[in-house]
Amino acid sequence: MPRLSAGLLMYRIKDGAIQVLLAHPGGPFFRNKDEGDWSIPKGEPGPEEDLFLTAQREFEEETGLNPAGRFVPLKPVKQKGGKIVHAWAFEGDCDPTTIRSNTFMMEWPPTSGQQKQFPEIDRAEFFDLETARRKIKSAQVALIDELEMILNTN
């Protein structure tokens, strides 16, 4: 069975343009990476956990924001490693500089025997759609494309 992940794609309309909130992964491996490494806030479900509830929980854990509003399901996408990402879009707004993520522990530096704590996401930003398509993981571009199609037909 493939690994699953669930997340939320928050968007806003600013000056007539659609912008989406993307998260940059925390930790030392992503410190100097940018284009193609951002993601929607997401995570893996627990055993028997509902995917939509997982998406809401993960968004709150990774941003410190309580997602609310009308949630629109998007078609799942399959990432390069085989993980299937289920996502929902919703309209919202925030100051990305106030986002506070949960943390994880890992051995750092490698083979040092020292455990260090890192945020799951080290920053988040709103991007226009063109920029977001460059920043986000390639498989997740389809989520942005579908959101744009939905918003332009309403």
Side-chain angles (χ1 to χ4, degrees), residues 11-13 18-20 70 72 91 129 146-154:
Y11 70 92
R12 68 183 182 187
I13 310 295
I18 303 166
Q19 296 181 338
V20 294
R70 181 175 150 254
V72 178
E91 187 171 6
L129 298 185
E146 185 177 3
L147 173 65
E148 181 180 33
M149 185 187 72
I150 289 168
L151 294 177
N152 285 336
T153 58
N154 288 340

Side-chain angles (χ1 to χ4, degrees), residues 4 7 28 31-32 35 38 42-43 51 60-61 67 79 87-88 99 106-107 109 122-123 129 136-137 141 145 151 154:
L4 300 177
R31 181 172 288 132
N32 297 318
E35 291 198 359
W38 293 66
K42 63 177 181 47
L51 290 173
E60 189 165 354
E61 286 178 0
Q79 295 189 156
W88 290 261
I99 283 176
M106 70 177 284
E107 182 180 19
D122 59 15
R123 65 189 183 274
L129 298 185
I136 201 166
K137 291 177 173 287
V141 169
D145 293 345
L151 294 177
N154 288 340

Side-chain angles (χ1 to χ4, degrees), residues 36-37 41 49 56 76 81 87 89 95-96 107 115-116 131 133 144 147:
D37 286 302
E49 187 177 15
Q56 292 177 303
D95 175 355
E107 182 180 19
Q115 292 289 313
K116 293 211 175 161
T131 305
R133 287 182 177 103
I144 294 170
L147 173 65

Side-chain angles (χ1 to χ4, degrees), residues 41-119:
K42 63 177 181 47
E44 295 184 5
E48 308 297 318
E49 187 177 15
D50 177 82
L51 290 173
F52 179 59
L53 295 178
T54 299
Q56 292 177 303
R57 173 181 53 77
E58 288 290 333
F59 186 89
E60 189 165 354
E61 286 178 0
E62 293 187 1
T63 65
L65 303 171
N66 183 12
R70 181 175 150 254
F71 296 92
V72 178
L74 302 172
K75 293 180 184 90
V77 296
K78 187 174 187 177
Q79 295 189 156
K80 216 173 5 179
K83 183 184 283 187
I84 297 173
V85 178
H86 295 261
W88 290 261
F90 75 103
E91 187 171 6
D93 201 358
C94 70
D95 175 355
T97 63
T98 66
I99 283 176
R100 297 294 172 255
S101 175
N102 57 344
T103 60
F104 67 95
M105 298 290 290
M106 70 177 284
E107 182 180 19
W108 192 257
T111 69
S112 67
Q114 299 176 23
Q115 292 289 313
K116 293 211 175 161
Q117 189 172 358
F118 298 97

